[in-house]
Amino acid sequence: MSDIRLDPRLSAVASLVQPGNKLLDVGTDHAFLPCFLVQRGVCPCAAAGDLRPGPLENAKSTVAACSLEDRIETLLSDGLDSFPPQTDCTVVLAGMGGLLIAELLGRTSWIRDRSVQIVAQPMSHAEDVRRFFFQNGFALEKEVCAADGKHVYCAMAARFSGKPTEETPALPYGGLLFGQSDPTAKRFLQTQFDRLKKRRDALERAGTDKEEAARLREVLDDFCELKKQRSGSGQ
Ligand SMILES: C[S@@+](CC[C@H](N)C(=O)[O-])C[C@H]1O[C@@H](n2cnc3c(N)ncnc32)[C@H](O)[C@@H]1O
């Protein structure tokens, strides 16, 4: 039986999964995460879905190599569309863009339940995922960062609370990472800041979209304020 090992990015995702929950892995590709978590007894069972038949074949091969066919179901699914509604589970969406993750979450009503944990690991535009959580009554519970070579990734856990989170201009760009002293989280925040600053500078030079340039100025000011306010608050 294969012993699954995870890279730093997927290890960060795995660290957020609530032990004892059934895992629903959306966009699973090789199903490394469900196989790892079921092998180690963190999750009793899992369902691994993917939009495309090729990645689903990858998933089936890994599940078979781990002899976990009786505990990990594989299914073709666009987002969560083919997963039956459930409770006491963790839904993972990792390795996809932030906008796509937000869209897939937005069209699934049964995740608005306090027993459903959501773990998201956007490869880009993490602010779209946090905005989705803030505006739709989900509370961010924990965020972690992981570095792999020159890349830094963030992963976040959230749950429906019914109460929207009040946003400041920069909060979607850093969420709970603003309070962290972890050097990898600081590196992630710096990358976000540099990206925003580069865009603002380009817009100011071009003089084309004054409204967006003004919005980015506000975001950058608030970014510095949040970093200052929350530094030393721990995590
Ligand atoms: C880069 S892989 C990530 C695999 C794994 N989750 C990870 O984090 O390593 C992205 C996977 O998402 C799948 N995907 C893209 N859009 C999807 C959708 N709408 N619903 C389900 N899966 C999707 C792709 O087919 C691909 O296998």
Side-chain angles (χ1 to χ4, degrees), residues 9-10 27-29 50-52 55 77-79 94-96 100 104:
R9 178 182 63 83
L10 278 178
T28 195
D29 198 355
D50 205 286
L51 177 66
R52 298 181 296 128
S77 179
D78 186 356
M96 291 179 266
L100 175 62
L104 298 180

Side-chain angles (χ1 to χ4, degrees), residues 6-7 9-10 13 25-34 49-56 58 75-81 83 92-97 100-101 103-104 107 121 123:
L6 299 181
D7 62 19
R9 178 182 63 83
L10 278 178
V13 173
D25 191 27
V26 177
T28 195
D29 198 355
H30 289 272
F32 291 142
L33 184 75
D50 205 286
L51 177 66
R52 298 181 296 128
L56 201 67
N58 298 336
L75 71 166
L76 262 187
S77 179
D78 186 356
L80 283 153
D81 295 357
F83 287 76
V92 171
L93 302 100
M96 291 179 266
L100 175 62
I101 292 177
E103 191 220 310
L104 298 180
R107 64 180 200 225
Q121 188 282 303
M123 298 300 269

Side-chain angles (χ1 to χ4, degrees), residues 3 14 32 94 115 146 176 179 229 233:
D3 183 34
F32 291 142
S115 76
L176 299 177
Q229 269 174 20
S233 72

Side-chain angles (χ1 to χ4, degrees), residues 204-225:
E204 281 184 345
R205 266 196 310 276
T208 42
D209 191 344
K210 292 198 165 60
E211 214 175 294
E212 178 63 358
R215 185 189 76 81
L216 289 171
R217 268 197 303 278
E218 252 191 275
V219 170
L220 287 162
D221 288 347
D222 186 45
F223 205 109
C224 296
E225 191 54 35

Side-chain angles (χ1 to χ4, degrees), residues 5-85:
R5 283 168 201 275
L6 299 181
D7 62 19
R9 178 182 63 83
L10 278 178
S11 295
V13 173
S15 75
L16 293 174
V17 172
Q18 184 178 327
N21 271 6
K22 176 173 181 179
L23 179 76
L24 312 181
D25 191 27
V26 177
T28 195
D29 198 355
H30 289 272
F32 291 142
L33 184 75
C35 288
F36 175 88
L37 288 169
V38 172
Q39 262 183 349
R40 278 158 183 76
V42 177
C43 297
C45 58
D50 205 286
L51 177 66
R52 298 181 296 128
L56 201 67
E57 282 310 310
N58 298 336
K60 284 181 182 158
S61 301
T62 312
V63 171
C66 295
S67 309
L68 287 172
E69 295 97 324
D70 55 336
R71 291 204 276 158
I72 303 180
E73 171 199 356
T74 54
L75 71 166
L76 262 187
S77 179
D78 186 356
L80 283 153
D81 295 357
S82 304
F83 287 76

